Amino acid sequence: IAVWHSCAIAMVAIEFDDAKLLDQALNGKNGLNALLKKGVTSNYLWYEGAFSYNNYVIAALTPLFVQASLKDKGGLFKRQMLLAQNMLLSPLQFRFDDGYLPTVGDTRGRGRAIDFGAYLSSARVLPTEIGIQEAQRVKSWDTLIDSIDNTTKKSTSLPTVTTKHYEPSRAAVLKNTNWQVFVHYGQLTQAHAQAEVPGYELYWRSIPVAVDQGTVDYGSPWHEQYFRRAVAHNLPLIDGEGQESSPLFGHVDSFDLLQPAISISEPLYQKGVMVSRQI
């Protein structure tokens, strides 16, 4: 939400050519640059973990990038644009073979790796082949009155998903010919966290074997009483409950890129209880 605030202040500053206000919006203690530095991990995921938050941040940044471009100030935001474009693309590294993403945190329902609406809405300032192709397909006032030139290829090849340890996000992907697993062994913040570590989601080819279904609307009693609890996840239960508090940081005891395999442990799962898991 603070990112939305700083973007709005920056847009006002650009509109009225207020250099002091623009500097505050970008470089102040709670300015956009400080928020992005704190909020975006080195593997281009928002620190709260849920993939949907990447698109939420991009939705805040896109109007600012458009406004700056219209006022010939796009050069001031080159670094932020590159960061946002990486945030748009980074979830592709985690997708399962059916196109869905792991469900981290209290995401409401499972999400697809390619959000066509997000790619389309940001295509002018964060151009991708998919976004530009969507602009040719979708007929709206925006795409009809000020069309986006289609100079991209007609087909798009997505990056190959591979075995990798994503330590900044406390996660890993293991993948071979038939199997793929997403391992979530720690959390960076209590915000939007659930009792879901050390958890995993497992696929055989494009068939989900064990998945995290996310949650329901926050106002529903099922959100707190079931979906946020360990019983709704693939976790060890101690007297019916999972982790005692969040965030849990977890430890990777070993990671084998070639096998592939991972061994993780959480010494503070509950008072006097340590859990470990090998996949």
Side-chain angles (χ1 to χ4, degrees):
I1 293 173
V3 170
W4 283 81
H5 289 167
S6 62
C7 288
I9 295 169
M11 289 177 68
V12 170
I14 290 171
E15 179 64 26
F16 292 97
D17 199 23
D18 189 328
K20 184 178 179 181
L21 184 61
L22 181 59
D23 182 67
Q24 176 187 333
L26 298 181
N27 303 313
K29 180 180 178 181
N30 295 310
L32 181 61
N33 292 332
L35 294 169
L36 293 178
K37 182 177 180 180
K38 177 183 178 181
V40 183
T41 66
S42 59
N43 48 276
Y44 302 108
L45 295 178
W46 190 251
Y47 78 111
E48 286 167 325
F51 294 101
S52 57
Y53 270 90
N54 270 34
N55 286 349
Y56 189 57
V57 172
I58 291 166
L61 292 167
T62 297
L64 171 59
F65 296 158
V66 172
Q67 171 86 346
S69 298
L70 291 172
K71 297 291 186 177
D72 294 324
K73 294 185 181 294
L76 296 176
F77 296 92
K78 184 177 180 179
R79 183 177 62 83
Q80 295 90 335
M81 286 182 180
L82 291 172
L83 179 71
Q85 191 167 45
N86 281 330
M87 291 183 70
L88 181 66
L89 298 172
S90 63
L92 296 174
Q93 305 171 94
F94 300 88
R95 74 187 189 281
F96 292 111
D97 286 346
D98 63 352
Y100 280 94
L101 287 169
T103 308
V104 183
D106 60 0
T107 304
R108 279 172 282 186
R110 304 185 68 218
R112 290 192 173 274
I114 299 177
D115 182 332
F116 287 100
Y119 278 65
L120 171 61
S121 64
S122 61
R124 296 189 186 279
V125 286
L126 308 176
T128 60
E129 292 178 9
I130 294 172
I132 294 173
Q133 289 176 25
E134 278 294 283
Q136 312 305 311
R137 186 185 67 83
V138 175
K139 305 305 178 186
S140 66
W141 285 117
D142 180 51
T143 59
L144 289 171
I145 292 176
D146 188 11
S147 61
I148 299 176
D149 291 335
N150 184 10
T151 57
T152 66
K153 298 177 292 186
K154 295 300 180 182
S155 62
T156 300
S157 298
L158 299 180
T160 302
V161 176
T162 60
T163 297
K164 190 172 181 180
H165 178 202
Y166 296 92
E167 191 278 333
S169 296
R170 307 295 191 268
V173 171
L174 307 181
K175 186 171 177 63
N176 60 21
T177 303
N178 292 316
W179 294 94
Q180 181 176 334
V181 62
F182 172 80
V183 184
H184 185 207
Y185 66 86
Q187 298 153 325
L188 298 179
T189 175
Q190 186 174 356
H192 298 285
Q194 298 191 91
E196 63 180 20
V197 297
Y200 67 92
E201 296 188 45
L202 179 67
Y203 267 65
W204 184 78
R205 296 183 178 177
S206 61
I207 299 173
V209 177
V211 297
D212 182 336
Q213 66 267 53
T215 188
V216 292
D217 287 343
Y218 299 160
S220 167
W222 288 102
H223 171 62
E224 289 290 341
Q225 296 174 22
Y226 177 73
F227 286 100
R228 289 196 67 193
R229 295 174 57 199
V231 69
H233 302 91
N234 298 312
L235 294 172
L237 297 179
I238 313 298
D239 294 330
E241 297 296 337
Q243 66 189 76
E244 212 160 44
S245 63
S246 61
L248 292 183
F249 297 103
H251 296 276
V252 174
D253 301 314
S254 65
F255 178 75
D256 189 330
L257 184 68
L258 299 179
Q259 191 173 20
I262 191 170
S263 176
I264 54 181
S265 60
E266 176 48 67
L268 300 175
Y269 193 67
Q270 287 188 15
K271 186 177 181 179
V273 176
M274 185 192 87
V275 300
S276 62
R277 170 166 274 160
Q278 294 178 334
I279 298 176

